[in-house]
Amino acid sequence: MPQSRDSGQTAAPAVGDTRERVLTAAMEEFARHGIAGARVDRIAKLARTSKERVYAYFRSKDALYADVAAREYVVIAEATQMDPCDLPGYAGRLFDYFAARPDHHRLIAWGRLELPGTTAVADDPAQAVIARKIDQLRQVQQAGQLDPAWDPADILALVNQIAMTWASQPELSEAAAAHAVDPTTAARRAAVVTAVEQLFPRAR
């Protein structure tokens, strides 16, 4: 007979809830310690579950990182929304995203450092996002709204790198705070947007 609502029994946590807690805890752990330094037992403790349950969802620590990073790439793409006709604006949004979330940048950077030879799978969300952006850039080039002399892959790489200049070099951010003519974050953002504008002006 089904238990009544006032039986005093607590429902078992939903599988999806536990898995989401694991992913959230893993993001914090990987951002702080990298892949090699991360510990599954700490992730399990933070997620309020067992180490065995973590491995029931993810076959290895690398697989867990891959899942976390893939989700983050999609979140970044949705939060920053590249407009191929306004690359300076896109660079500004990327700057804002990582300025507010330095731990998210560290999460991505650890993967680039520790898993450089990983072969992307066919359904890799990060590769899908990149391919879509390159195609968008190619389309505006064909429409005469962006210099066609550039390879669209180079455009995307350069804009991303400029936008993340300060996020990837925190030591320079500290130096700028002490020595720049204008030490504000707004000044660093303005420099990023201006640099991209000079390379790839907004479509008129």
Side-chain angles (χ1 to χ4, degrees):
M1 178 180 297
Q3 293 289 334
S4 64
R5 292 188 179 183
D6 59 353
S7 64
Q9 290 192 359
T10 302
V15 170
D17 292 343
T18 304
R19 190 176 189 278
E20 285 301 313
R21 291 202 308 272
V22 169
L23 288 166
T24 299
M27 181 166 187
E28 180 177 329
E29 178 74 6
F30 287 128
R32 183 175 298 173
H33 300 288
I35 302 169
R39 295 291 177 264
V40 175
D41 54 350
R42 286 198 298 253
I43 293 171
K45 183 177 181 180
L46 186 59
R48 305 192 309 279
T49 190
S50 67
K51 187 174 180 179
E52 291 73 24
R53 178 60 62 184
V54 173
Y55 281 120
Y57 296 132
F58 305 96
R59 66 183 183 276
S60 67
K61 187 168 63 171
D62 285 0
L64 175 54
Y65 173 83
D67 201 312
V68 171
R71 286 160 58 101
E72 177 62 12
Y73 274 113
V74 173
V75 169
I76 293 168
E78 291 177 351
T80 58
Q81 289 294 323
M82 187 188 82
D83 178 353
C85 293
D86 181 13
L87 293 177
Y90 168 61
R93 287 189 293 278
L94 274 177
F95 176 94
D96 292 340
Y97 185 88
F98 288 115
R101 304 167 183 83
D103 54 327
H104 290 222
H105 184 273
R106 290 196 302 273
L107 173 80
I108 299 300
W110 280 117
R112 291 170 176 163
L113 287 170
E114 297 189 55
L115 303 173
T118 302
T119 302
V121 296
D123 60 349
D124 183 351
Q127 289 301 311
V129 167
I130 292 169
R132 184 172 68 250
K133 289 181 178 180
I134 289 175
D135 186 57
Q136 288 177 305
L137 292 168
R138 184 176 290 111
Q139 289 180 31
V140 297
Q141 285 179 311
Q142 293 170 349
Q145 296 175 297
L146 187 62
D147 187 352
W150 291 90
D151 189 305
D154 290 329
I155 295 175
L156 183 60
L158 288 168
V159 172
N160 284 349
Q161 191 63 38
I162 292 170
M164 291 186 280
T165 294
W166 295 100
S168 62
Q169 300 181 87
E171 71 281 0
L172 284 183
S173 294
E174 293 179 12
H179 304 294
V181 174
D182 182 346
T184 64
T185 300
R188 307 287 76 75
R189 185 188 195 277
V192 163
V193 172
T194 299
V196 175
E197 176 71 34
Q198 291 183 359
L199 277 173
F200 309 111
R202 293 177 175 88
R204 304 300 180 188

